[in-house]
Amino acid sequence: MAEIRSIGVLTSGGDAPGMNAAVRAVTRSAIYAGWKVFGIYRGYDGLISGDIKEFTTESVSGIIFEGGTVLRTARSKEFMTPEGRRKAYDNCVRYGIDALIVIGGNGSLAGAQELAREYGIPVIGLPGTIDNDLYGTDNTIGYDTALNTIVECVDKIHDTANSHNRIFFVEVMGRDAGFLAQNSAIAAGAEAAIIPESSTDIDQLAAYIERGIRKSKRSSIVIVSEKDGGAMHYAERMRKEYPEFDVRVSILGYLQRGGRPSALDRILASRMGVAAIEALKEGQTNVMIGIDDNRMVYIPFARAIKKDKPIDEELINVLSILSI
Ligand code: F6P
């Protein structure tokens, strides 16, 4: 592999709190290694159009605590085409970018894998998504902050649910994965979580809620993952089949992606950013940085993006024991 003297960094896909901390860590550790750094704006779209600027250590000052991404982001349609990737690679050559660091989720890392395969440019990925759905890493950057945001919201919903003796279906993000739903349900003391990884029987759920009411529970909260119709779907079924329940829906939506990153996300992003530069120095490519048992690890892109990260059965068990 040719010697690396210059790297490009971009954020892609849905923004996630902690992406800025990751950009800062990548930039500063690359400069520390004696390399040049180019910030690429608007994800792969900016790589294609040449929306690229050289970064100094000052370029990333005062951003570790900011939500969103200062590099901005996009879900690039053009990069999904061979012509788009050709233009992206041409700009790498034009700017003298020897390697790329891509911070994003599943689709972004799949794109990174394609570019590395077609043009042989070294690419390292950092898992940046609130969904926590990348295999091989215990946590993704942004997941902890989003989880805390959800829990804060559900605590508030509890107040109104208790006051009115209502049943709330609260919809959370996560795309195809139930990590946000399952863990926010545990942390917020919800009655149940409906997640794509396990099936939910509406009659069993109703019986469970009824039992809670008989035992003097004043309200019930069910956290619903956004997949398969989300909260509306389950609430409508519940209303139709159990009209005696006073059912409400709350869809948390995009507020889950915003806000200042938690300390855990800032630390994770900082460690992963430094690890990405170490990985390049070691001659790694086509790998995502992960955290496993509190150690930084390398996961081949092909493995990380397979969409088969399992939810621990123990978490499902904990919720069902504690919500009786
Ligand atoms: O991947 C992050 C995420 O927020 C998912 O949880 C959600 O399904 C999706 O992005 C929403 O995407 P968009 O920003 O394109 O509406």
Side-chain angles (χ1 to χ4, degrees), residues 14-15 75 129-131 133 173-175 180 226 254 257:
D15 62 305
R75 299 192 193 279
T129 166
I130 64 165
D131 302 335
D133 58 350
M173 283 184 167
R175 203 180 285 273
L180 285 171
E226 66 181 333
Y254 288 90
R257 289 226 299 246

Side-chain angles (χ1 to χ4, degrees), residues 145-179:
T145 308
L147 198 52
N148 278 291
T149 302
I150 294 169
V151 170
E152 201 184 320
C153 293
V154 177
D155 287 350
K156 290 179 178 165
I157 291 171
H158 249 132
D159 292 343
T160 178
N162 270 340
S163 306
H164 287 267
N165 297 102
R166 279 176 173 162
I167 294 153
F168 265 87
F169 286 82
V170 181
E171 183 177 309
V172 301
M173 283 184 167
R175 203 180 285 273
D176 299 327
F179 293 95

Side-chain angles (χ1 to χ4, degrees), residues 47-48 83-96 115 119:
L47 187 56
I48 290 168
E83 299 74 36
R85 289 193 293 276
R86 168 90 252 167
K87 287 187 202 162
Y89 179 69
D90 286 348
N91 271 330
C92 289
V93 174
R94 186 166 305 131
Y95 283 84
L115 190 73
Y119 295 102

Side-chain angles (χ1 to χ4, degrees), residues 10-15 41-46 69 71-77 103 108:
L10 62 84
T11 52
S12 167
D15 62 305
Y41 290 86
R42 296 182 295 107
Y44 293 118
D45 277 347
T69 160
L71 284 178
R72 305 201 293 281
T73 186
R75 299 192 193 279
S76 176
K77 289 214 167 58
I103 307 164
S108 309

